[in-house]
Amino acid sequence: MKTEFHFRDEDLRLTTLLVDDLDLDSIDAVDLAVRVEEKTGLSLTEADLKSIRTIQDIVDLIDERL
Amino acid sequence: MKTLSRWARIAGTGISFAAFGIGGLVLALVCFPLLRIGARSAREREQRAQYLVHLAFRLHVRLMEWMGVCTVSVRGAERLREPGGQLIVANHPTLIDVVLIGSLMPQLDCLVKTEAWRNPFMRGVVNAAGYVPNDLGEAVVEACAARLREGRSLLLFPEGTRSMKGGELGVFHRGAAHVALRSGHPIRPLVIDCHPRFLTRGQHWYDVPDRPMGFSIEVGDPIDPRKLTREDESRGVASRKLTAALRDFYQARLYPAAGRGAGDAFQGRDLQMGHRPDEDGIPFPR
């Protein structure tokens, strides 16, 4: 998240809302998904992306799949 | 006398709205079917329709000026006619901004909200002119960039909707920056100022001000995305920088006194951004 969007550490907490707090848009969501896929080897569906609200959701999703 | 002229302008405003709706229907039902005759491709049909929209908008602006609804002065209009596709970006104070800009450009693609395809007065026009619907998700960026690559000019409002009643700029979305980055086209900013404010968001059409709306439109210098971003940056970072710079530009133009700092920031970025490490954080377009 830091390299892709240059967010600061203090802005990134597990409860941080991706859209409301970090102002991610639909293009960012795609970029983020590609990054996650590269890092984890998972493949994410559109439904997966829609279910993500917070950073914790991303962690849970990866945790669940690996 | 003053009240009389105000009543005349309320009537004029009403007539303008009616003319817009009726004009849309006439174009759709009579003119566009005729234009299709002899057109060899979808592209040619769309170009013809857009040219007709341009003529209709010119007529509409003349009508509004004649009725005392508004006055319009434009600086640098000839720059809009430079050949090749231009990525036009504008702030969005009023309901008729698109009419004013369209009246200046013989060919102009627009990004239009999907509801227009369901509006009986607008459906025919948006269909014939081949405007880009805004419900394509992130594919909208590529659809817009494709128009520019074809040499077509395209209008985007980064605010996505009209500014608030007081005229302060809304949130700038990053779509326009993404289109510029993807297509490599510079951004041509139009600064629209309107005093007294009218036809803004949340205002009734009959709350006509005590004098005609005075529009001044300035056609700005192109903003080159390559000067403000680095090649090795992710598009997430680059689009944020470019959008912040664009918003600073508008803030400084529209509110020179209040926005002095913002304007300086933009100038500074213009010169240095290519080299400056930016761990100082990117101001978000909020």
Side-chain angles (χ1 to χ4, degrees):
Chain A
M1 297 273 285
K2 274 166 67 185
T3 50
E4 191 73 21
F5 305 115
H6 284 207
F7 292 135
R8 289 171 302 188
D9 281 329
E10 59 265 37
D11 293 332
L12 300 176
R13 296 176 203 288
L14 288 174
T15 53
T16 301
L17 293 165
L18 298 178
V19 174
D20 294 340
D21 295 335
L22 297 178
D23 191 32
L24 291 198
D25 60 22
S26 58
I27 297 162
D28 296 333
V30 173
D31 291 343
L32 183 64
V34 170
R35 270 300 179 97
V36 171
E37 288 177 346
E38 281 170 5
K39 290 256 175 192
T40 63
L42 296 172
S43 65
L44 301 177
T45 65
E46 211 156 292
D48 292 335
L49 288 182
K50 288 220 169 97
S51 72
I52 293 172
R53 296 266 175 280
T54 63
I55 293 180
Q56 180 75 57
D57 292 341
I58 305 175
V59 175
D60 290 346
L61 188 75
I62 296 169
D63 209 36
E64 203 177 287
R65 299 290 172 82
L66 282 179
Chain B
M1 190 59 209
K2 200 166 186 182
T3 36
L4 182 69
S5 81
R6 182 162 178 272
W7 281 107
R9 272 180 296 106
I10 293 176
T13 306
I15 292 167
S16 300
F17 273 94
F20 187 85
I22 294 166
L25 283 181
V26 170
L27 286 180
L29 299 177
V30 182
C31 304
F32 291 147
L34 292 175
L35 280 187
R36 298 172 73 97
I37 299 169
R40 283 178 297 276
S41 64
R43 188 176 168 182
E44 195 178 336
R45 271 201 307 276
E46 288 171 7
Q47 303 273 8
R48 287 180 180 187
Q50 289 184 4
Y51 184 63
L52 202 60
V53 167
H54 160 68
L55 295 179
F57 281 173
R58 265 174 66 172
L59 191 67
H60 198 259
V61 172
R62 292 256 173 86
L63 178 73
M64 288 190 295
E65 284 186 313
W66 181 71
M67 292 191 301
V69 173
C70 66
T71 62
V72 183
S73 76
V74 186
R75 263 195 297 162
E78 70 287 346
R79 306 171 92 183
L80 294 174
R81 303 214 176 204
E82 285 169 13
Q86 295 197 52
L87 173 53
I88 311 289
V89 156
N91 60 317
H92 201 347
T94 80
L95 196 60
I96 54 177
D97 302 332
V98 75
V99 177
L100 299 176
I101 298 169
S103 76
L104 300 171
M105 301 187 70
Q107 181 276 314
L108 186 63
D109 276 286
C110 304
L111 182 65
V112 182
K113 59 183 172 191
T114 325
E115 290 92 81
W117 273 264
R118 293 193 292 269
N119 177 325
F121 297 102
M122 293 172 72
R123 183 168 41 207
V125 177
V126 292
N127 251 333
Y131 295 141
V132 184
N134 72 346
D135 64 342
L136 305 173
E138 61 124 22
V140 105
V141 173
E142 179 48 36
C144 289
R147 299 288 166 105
L148 290 165
R149 280 189 222 110
E150 282 177 37
R152 295 161 68 151
S153 290
L154 171 79
L155 169 65
L156 296 175
F157 293 108
E159 292 168 273
T161 185
R162 276 176 287 161
S163 312
M164 289 311 294
K165 202 170 169 179
E168 56 276 11
L169 291 169
V171 173
F172 271 40
H173 299 283
R174 294 187 292 273
H178 276 297
V179 172
L181 291 165
R182 171 140 349 175
S183 70
H185 279 66
I187 295 172
R188 169 74 78 185
L190 301 193
V191 183
I192 304 175
D193 209 358
C194 174
H195 294 283
R197 293 185 198 291
F198 178 47
L199 300 176
T200 61
R201 192 141 63 102
Q203 233 177 349
H204 295 298
W205 72 266
Y206 46 79
D207 287 338
V208 174
D210 56 8
R211 60 202 151 97
M213 311 162 77
F215 280 98
S216 65
I217 302 177
E218 183 196 338
V219 182
D221 293 325
I223 298 171
D224 187 348
R226 283 166 299 191
K227 282 193 189 148
L228 296 173
T229 59
R230 287 196 311 259
E231 290 231 334
D232 60 332
E233 278 168 343
S234 71
R235 60 176 177 168
V237 171
S239 65
R240 280 171 168 76
K241 271 188 184 176
L242 194 52
T243 303
L246 198 58
R247 196 175 192 286
D248 285 351
F249 168 82
Y250 276 101
Q251 196 70 35
R253 286 304 164 100
L254 291 167
Y255 305 100
R260 183 181 280 267
D264 291 347
F266 174 73
Q267 295 297 336
R269 236 177 247 132
D270 201 7
L271 299 169
Q272 300 163 11
M273 202 175 241
H275 315 286
R276 193 177 63 173
D278 44 352
E279 53 278 330
D280 51 352
I282 293 145
F284 285 96
R286 282 191 182 278

